[in-house]
Amino acid sequence: LHGGLKINRQRIASTLIGSNYISESIVLVRESGAVLSLLELDFEAISGLARDRNITYTSYSNLVQNREIVRLVSGEVQALNQCLEAPERIQSFRIIPFELDPEQGTITCARRVIDSKINDAFRDLIAEMDRECDARSASTIEEDEEERRGKPS
């Protein structure tokens, strides 16, 4: 529950998967209320786009690190965020650098995410997103303080 609104991770994930380019979304809601997402891209769709745009790549991992692809996904997330209530909107995301596979233990054969394994498997990506949200929050607090100091009492 954040700001009186129950954050529905499944609804957020379903909204993101509505993109042709996103095949899986793992949504994390932090104690601060920040909503984060780890995204697996649809390799077939994204590689087709890469071919159309003459983007060279050697693998899924190589392709999802391409700046143009990351910009495209960022635009998709921004657009899809407009379909969500403000507290549900993704504040930070990372593209998973490999396709999820049951052998890794993070997803079942039926493509159900195993939540208990996610934090360990993606610890570094999650920490990056947490730092990004913390920095954004700190800069907002500083801007608010500066605005208050600049205004006459």
Side-chain angles (χ1 to χ4, degrees):
L1 198 63
H2 181 71
L5 178 70
K6 183 176 190 287
I7 307 265
N8 184 331
R9 294 181 335 148
Q10 185 58 43
R11 172 177 137 69
I12 299 166
S14 294
T15 299
L16 292 170
I17 293 169
S19 165
N20 293 332
Y21 305 114
I22 300 171
S23 60
E24 188 65 60
S25 173
I26 301 164
V27 176
L28 307 167
V29 179
R30 310 317 269 173
E31 284 184 26
S32 66
V35 180
L36 317 174
S37 185
L38 295 164
L39 303 174
E40 176 191 50
L41 301 188
D42 182 309
F43 185 60
E44 188 175 321
I46 213 77
S47 61
L49 178 76
R51 280 190 300 277
D52 292 345
R53 295 185 181 195
N54 294 318
I55 298 171
T56 57
Y57 62 94
T58 56
S59 64
Y60 172 89
S61 182
N62 176 260
L63 180 58
V64 301
Q65 293 177 38
N66 177 280
R67 287 178 192 208
E68 190 172 341
I69 298 300
V70 173
R71 271 194 303 273
L72 169 95
V73 172
S74 181
E76 288 284 303
V77 170
Q78 287 175 10
L80 292 166
N81 261 344
Q82 300 311 305
C83 300
L84 298 168
E85 297 294 326
E88 297 176 308
R89 292 183 182 146
I90 300 297
Q91 294 168 351
S92 184
F93 74 90
R94 291 295 181 276
I95 300 171
I96 297 170
F98 51 82
E99 292 180 279
L100 296 173
D101 184 326
E103 290 182 18
Q104 299 160 339
T106 55
I107 198 163
T108 67
C109 291
R111 303 245 349 129
R112 295 186 78 92
V113 173
I114 302 171
D115 287 338
S116 62
K117 304 289 185 177
I118 295 304
N119 284 328
D120 288 337
F122 301 110
R123 177 175 287 123
D124 293 343
L125 293 176
I126 294 168
E128 282 177 22
M129 290 187 290
D130 282 335
R131 283 191 299 273
E132 185 178 291
C133 286
D134 289 346
R136 198 175 298 137
S137 177
S139 70
T140 301
I141 290 168
E142 288 173 18
E143 289 169 10
D144 289 348
E145 284 297 316
E146 287 175 16
E147 189 175 309
R148 274 194 287 279
R149 277 187 248 124
K151 290 185 178 179
S153 301

